[in-house]
Amino acid sequence: MTMDRRNFLTVGGKFFIFTAAAGSALEYVLAAEPHNAPGYRTMDHWWAMMIDIEKCIGCGSCVRADKAENDVPLEPFYFRTWVERYHVDPEKEHPEVDSPDGGYHGFPEKFHEGDGSKNFFVPKMCNQCADSPCTQVCPVGATFVSPDGAVLVDKKYCLGCRYCIQACPYGCRYIDPRTETVDKCNLCYHRITKGLTTACAEVCPTGARRLGDLKDPKDYVHQYLRENKIQVLKAHLATQSKTYYNGLDGSVR
Amino acid sequence: MGTLFRHSRHIVRMVGMFGVGLLAFIVLRAIFIPKGFGELGHYRRGALDEVASRTPVHAGRKACVDCHTDVAEKQKGSLHESVSCENCHGPQGAHAAAADPSASKPKLPDGEKLCAGCHEKSISKPRKFKQVDTKGHSGGAACKSCHAAHAPAPQVPASAPAPGKASPPVAAKAAPPAPAPKSPAKETKS
């Protein structure tokens, strides 16, 4: 085949375009892998949390484990996860909710049997929304949904403007007083990318908390969603929360 | 044609200004937008690595039972089978990762407090969960005198007075006898 100028430009142009496209596609694919976790591919996972209210005993193990795991300040107003105690008295208009130290030291009994009330614990945490209000308001892109479905915070890039704290309908964010940047539950991203479960699910003695991977067809999460009556918090806000509660009472906000 | 020529100097100047503006934009953008931003979404790609790079503080049950097979054996089939090691013994990531794990030996937890932390009777706890009024339940005796922490079904000789009389475990419908303990010679040592 004779290679005239016209031919050369056609073939060369095609080659140039396709190698460039393939190169950038390859770069895109490789880019998504956290380098510290060999063998972990973000596109293979879509993480979710299962919380079974009917199993929660309010021991506070999750709160303590979480603070230890994620270096959360010990003052009782910084929490990545916390446990609330609901006291629903039919005589009263609103349920009474308390969370002494977030449940860090457990719950000293203060209600009595036979008063006609309904009592239960509700563990709370970042709901890892797929369509999260907090990521939408961040002016600099310092908080985002990762390709594997965890809502993360880029601590180096966070301005500390607090928009996301106001935007989160679940009250899951706080400003770390040491860095003046925002912090929240990131689903123990440093653990789940290494094949471990989250710290709270690791220590939960009754199995009330469990990490699930919606992209893994063999994961228990599918059975859990199929066999239970599942609710998410504030479904009407369309945040596409991925924290699935079993046995959630209508009084819980 | 003539009119175009007449104003060509203005056009050249405008295009020049536009070019300078464009160049400034490209240069400033390259300076201020961090590396990797926008490659996966409206965020820095490197942030994923940074978040993922932290070292776990909790080792995870698997790491524990890799060495402590005897305890795993005790737990097997018991009521505490699903209770993770680090729930009671605290985070042991450093212990598990150490070249010589015996150098950083974890402290034994305070038994009484630990048991009560989960099993103290509360109206808010699910009814299925075994709970006791710790003050009335044992008459001051330590939990571990009857219950081994790793396999807690009571190990009371039949002749001894039943300690649960004063306040029996709530909802413990005749606590099942140690569900098939694997090791017959089970010590009441935690």
Side-chain angles (χ1 to χ4, degrees):
Chain A
M1 182 181 132
T2 51
M3 184 67 87
D4 56 13
R5 186 185 287 177
R6 187 191 187 86
N7 248 336
F8 175 77
L9 284 177
T10 320
V11 175
K14 273 181 192 163
F15 186 74
F16 180 73
I17 288 168
F18 284 121
T19 42
S24 61
L26 184 70
E27 193 184 22
Y28 180 90
V29 165
L30 295 177
E33 314 312 327
H35 296 176
N36 309 78
Y40 181 84
R41 288 164 22 117
T42 45
M43 67 268 265
D44 289 348
H45 305 276
W46 190 245
W47 297 108
M49 199 71 184
M50 301 167 251
I51 298 185
D52 195 340
I53 305 244
E54 283 160 22
K55 286 184 181 167
C56 181
I57 57 170
C59 63
S61 298
C62 48
V63 184
R64 292 188 291 273
D66 171 55
K67 285 213 175 194
E69 180 71 46
N70 294 303
D71 190 26
V72 179
L74 285 177
E75 288 97 327
F77 29 81
Y78 302 112
F79 297 102
R80 283 174 166 225
T81 185
W82 67 100
V83 181
E84 291 172 0
R85 169 167 59 186
Y86 272 71
H87 174 70
V88 187
D89 187 341
E91 308 269 299
K92 289 184 188 143
E93 197 183 346
H94 298 294
E96 190 182 328
V97 187
D98 72 336
S99 183
D101 293 349
Y104 190 89
H105 301 290
F107 290 82
E109 186 67 319
K110 70 175 204 185
F111 302 115
H112 305 288
E113 207 142 3
D115 62 357
S117 66
K118 175 159 65 173
N119 300 277
F120 52 90
F121 296 108
V122 183
K124 293 265 182 95
M125 57 180 278
C126 169
N127 287 241
Q128 309 297 342
C129 310
D131 199 3
S132 173
C134 62
T135 61
Q136 290 169 41
V137 299
C138 181
V140 295
T143 186
F144 53 92
V145 184
S146 72
D148 41 357
V151 179
L152 306 179
V153 174
D154 181 351
K155 285 211 149 200
K156 279 195 188 153
Y157 213 43
C158 174
L159 302 168
C161 74
R162 294 155 169 85
Y163 280 166
C164 55
I165 295 180
Q166 295 180 47
C168 176
Y170 308 106
C172 298
R173 291 170 166 263
Y174 64 92
I175 287 280
D176 189 327
R178 297 163 298 191
T179 57
E180 277 292 310
T181 54
V182 82
D183 200 16
K184 62 175 271 298
C185 161
N186 57 12
L187 215 56
C188 284
Y189 197 68
H190 60 295
R191 294 175 63 82
I192 61 177
T193 49
K194 293 180 179 74
L196 297 164
T197 185
T198 64
C200 58
E202 171 66 37
V203 302
C204 182
T206 61
R209 284 165 177 267
R210 253 178 112 149
L211 178 74
D213 182 358
L214 291 164
K215 274 198 187 169
D216 179 359
K218 291 196 204 102
D219 198 289
Y220 170 72
V221 67
H222 302 290
Q223 187 190 346
Y224 173 83
L225 295 177
R226 192 169 59 238
E227 292 180 352
N228 294 298
K229 316 293 179 288
I230 302 297
Q231 264 288 8
V232 296
L233 291 175
K234 301 188 185 181
H236 61 283
L237 295 177
T239 57
Q240 312 301 334
S241 156
K242 290 196 272 79
T243 297
Y244 300 109
Y245 284 91
N246 177 35
L248 190 73
D249 191 73
S251 60
V252 178
R253 291 286 170 269
Chain B
M1 230 18 201
T3 36
L4 183 68
F5 261 119
R6 201 140 58 83
H7 297 297
S8 59
R9 262 183 60 217
H10 301 287
I11 292 169
V12 168
R13 198 176 286 173
M14 196 176 74
V15 169
M17 284 302 289
F18 189 79
V20 169
L22 193 70
L23 195 72
F25 172 76
I26 291 169
V27 169
L28 290 174
R29 191 176 188 282
I31 291 171
F32 288 116
I33 304 265
K35 198 171 159 281
F37 196 93
E39 284 183 21
L40 298 172
H42 191 67
Y43 56 91
R44 225 161 41 85
R45 188 189 75 194
L48 279 177
D49 295 348
E50 285 163 25
V51 177
S53 68
R54 295 201 19 248
T55 314
V57 176
H58 290 75
R61 190 193 166 89
K62 205 188 150 287
C64 302
V65 302
D66 272 354
C67 296
H68 300 277
T69 43
D70 54 325
V71 181
E73 195 58 37
K74 271 186 203 165
Q75 273 189 301
K76 214 168 177 188
S78 88
L79 293 163
H80 277 179
E81 182 175 14
S82 61
V83 179
S84 108
C85 313
E86 287 166 310
N87 182 347
C88 304
H89 296 280
Q92 299 300 343
H95 171 64
D100 175 22
S102 57
S104 62
K105 227 171 176 185
K107 262 200 306 202
L108 263 184
D110 174 0
E112 305 306 294
K113 248 195 191 157
L114 193 67
C115 298
C118 287
H119 291 286
E120 185 68 68
K121 194 179 164 196
S122 165
I123 183 178
S124 306
K125 285 180 184 172
R127 298 215 182 282
K128 293 185 293 222
F129 184 72
K130 288 188 174 26
Q131 26 189 317
V132 292
D133 175 9
T134 46
K135 284 196 193 84
H137 175 69
S138 66
C143 306
K144 66 176 174 189
S145 58
C146 296
H147 304 276
H150 292 134
Q155 310 265 311
V156 196
S159 56
K165 273 275 159 61
S167 96
V170 175
K173 303 163 214 141
K182 278 279 186 302
S183 47
K186 189 163 283 157
E187 310 277 311
T188 45
K189 208 182 121 216
S190 44

